[in-house]
Amino acid sequence: MTIRMKFTAATSARAFATLMLATTAITATPTKAATEPPLAKVSAPELAQEPEVRTFAIPAQPLAAALARYSDVTGVSFAYKTGDFSGIRSPGVRGNLTAAQALGHLLAGTGVTFEFTGERTVALNRARESAVTAMQAISVYGSKSVQSLNDVTSSVGIVKSEEIEKRNLTSFREAFRVLGNVNDSDWPDSGFVIRGINSEGMTPGGTKPLATLYVDGTPQTVYGARRGARGLWDVEQIEVYRGPQSTLSGRAALAGAIYLKTADPSFDWEGAANMTIGTMNTRGGAIMVNAPVIEDQVAMRLSAQYESSESDLNYPDYEDFDRFDEFVTDQFYQIRGKVLFLPAALPDTSAVLSYSYSHDSPNTNDIGGANVGHEYGERRGDFNSAVFAESRSADTQNISFEIKHDLIPELELTSLTTYSFTAMERPSVNESTAGEANFTQGANESFLASQELRANLDSGPWRVVAGVFASIEEDQNHYRRPANFNRSDYSESYEKVVNMAAFGEVAYEFLPTWQIVGGGRVDHTDQNNANYFTRNGAVRTNTRTSFDELVFLPKIGLVKDLSPDQTVAFTVQKGFRSGGAGVQTSTGRTFSYDAEFAWNYELSYKGSFLNDRLQLTANAFYMQWKDQQVEIQEDPNDGNSDYTTNAANSSVMGFEVESQYAVTKEVSTFASIGYSATEFEEFNDQTYGDLGGFPFPQAPRWNLAFGTRYEDPTGFFIGGDAKYVSHFLARFGNAPQEYLDGYWVANVQAGFRNETWQAVLYVENALANDYFTYHDRNTTEDIAATLGPRRVFGVSVTGKF
């Protein structure tokens, strides 16, 4: 059951009277024309005089509240000529502006126009009144500037807060079920998959992922992305960027990036609460409080979330171990605080300080087969020796401080300072149990601190983003197995990476409706490693290595506006993952490997139809990937014999098509289809042999997501969504390599809602479809498999006040 309560205090009686006509939720999709501030029609004689300049500091918020604050500053009152205006968000306005200029910025991107009918009276108008609901204006944050989705040439999948609540999505990984060419991986320690590419590539762990998770602009470490701030409570939206983003985002973005944007503070009192119950002992709760601290200058927002469930697999051989309960429990909790500063003395400056702490301990869904003495139907999770069954948990802290300053109305300066720290423990399920000698003790600590200074210019035909970036990342691991099959192993490793870069991107309208886009990034990486390993008390490895490199990553593109509502673009850019050096733990031998590069060619289309009720985006891509880094286990019987080398060349090609359609005011739908054909063109592995011609592991060629929702005017609603994933290759294992069958997963939600509360019944995996996300067997028998999530029934109750 999920309870969400939200309370908002009206800023004034006048605000309520002014906005009482806005009773039906109608939102607007920004067109090229709508994203510019609408022009005021000046008809009052008084306005022919020199207009008065005022100081405005109105943050982004619901349009109703923004207009009320505008009235407080200017004394202007509003009348509504046509259309409904509730449910629309304003981008806000800051700076020293005239009343007309400020109102233009306040309504930018909302689809609402205005006309001064007197010195202190304004008529608002929705120019395209429709009998059905239009789509909301969608802003994106991960492109290094807040702009419309239509202005971004990248393939971006968006999941907004409304969709999160309607679909009962509880983690950013669950949001993948409504997106094409985005999937979760088969294991908690295996990243996520974008366009068939695992975010950790073929070299798991470390400091160089292929795709990065950002939380409020803070890049997460690999371990923080695996176990960290996964919850979606009080989150504004999720953005999934598909394909290389290396020009603006840097070295850890060859496959893409995920941006999780949490809700910012506002200057109204708000509150929310959440409770959850369901099968598999699912339970949880959350709370949010938003409060003004200093009127129109300082506001704060606090939130907390807890979720827990238990595995339905069977573990009779593990039940007596001390860590059994934590091993079978999936537990997550998080607290977050944000403070918004809009100092009156600096009207062109704003700042947001954010801090979050999370504890995350997902369980695994591995089961044993006939080769280890079980049948899959038994759902035995205790098929392995207890020393290899680890109960992993992590604590993550994120801090970000973003300062924005409008040097002039067209030029914005941004400073973003971030820090993320994750501490993970990895004891085996039998660790600390009396009488157990063969166990694992281990831990990882990693942090990533970064500083970015950026300038954004939007003036006439020019749109420019340029900046500098610096980061430092450290990763420390250790583990001990005192009696592992007559071997007593102890290992320590340390890695430090310093990254510095200068980047920029320019869009120039050289002819009406035509833009050329160019950009690049100069990126320098300096890496140092240390490795220490003993076996049976004898030192095998005590070695240090270092590596540094400088690369340039170009981007060029052409954009054509077919109409104010339709845009097509073609871009070419180079992605990369930095090279490095390391030590083979089992032998102490040092090794190095070069950077890997990928050229990506992408054709994109974005458009809206039927008075903005239908949104459509499409991207087709081809990527050529050279010198791919691969982790190779030299000795199949020794997990400490791994090393990394440039062993593969590959290609990826495909497309995504996504749409959202407001059929009527009551009925809305979405659909997303993705196709991604991956192939190793060259790959000779010492363990698995020649893998040339194979697709990437965990890379389904086809996936399809769709859903619909009906909301009756009485408050009753019912909806559902489903996703299909075609067959795919499992992680490489014993020959012959295993392919898994495709599968469907359907989810249903039904309930009642109004302005103050909501009750929802939901079913996840409603068809109770059992499917594997991993499977391994030898030539005759099944060894092990990983089950996908099972069916869960739940109840959600939401209240807002």
Side-chain angles (χ1 to χ4, degrees), residues 373-395:
H374 304 293
E375 298 296 328
Y376 284 151
E378 300 177 61
R379 297 193 174 189
R380 289 289 295 271
D382 55 356
F383 62 93
N384 216 338
S385 172
V387 70
F388 299 119
E390 296 180 0
S391 176
R392 299 189 179 187
S393 64
D395 297 297

Side-chain angles (χ1 to χ4, degrees), residues 143 153 247-248 463-466 503-507 517-520 555 573:
S143 59
T153 58
T247 303
L248 293 180
R463 191 170 71 244
V464 181
V465 55
F503 62 88
E505 187 171 302
V506 178
V517 177
K555 175 181 179 180
Q573 68 173 309

Side-chain angles (χ1 to χ4, degrees), residues 297-310:
Q297 294 191 68
V298 181
M300 64 182 299
R301 195 178 189 96
L302 302 174
S303 64
Q305 179 182 10
Y306 172 83
E307 292 179 2
S308 179
S309 63
E310 292 184 4

Side-chain angles (χ1 to χ4, degrees), residues 394-415:
D395 297 297
T396 298
Q397 300 183 69
N398 290 317
I399 302 173
S400 68
F401 186 47
E402 183 178 58
I403 305 174
K404 291 182 177 292
H405 176 73
D406 292 333
L407 193 63
I408 57 176
E410 298 83 7
L411 179 61
E412 181 182 68
L413 305 180
T414 301
S415 169

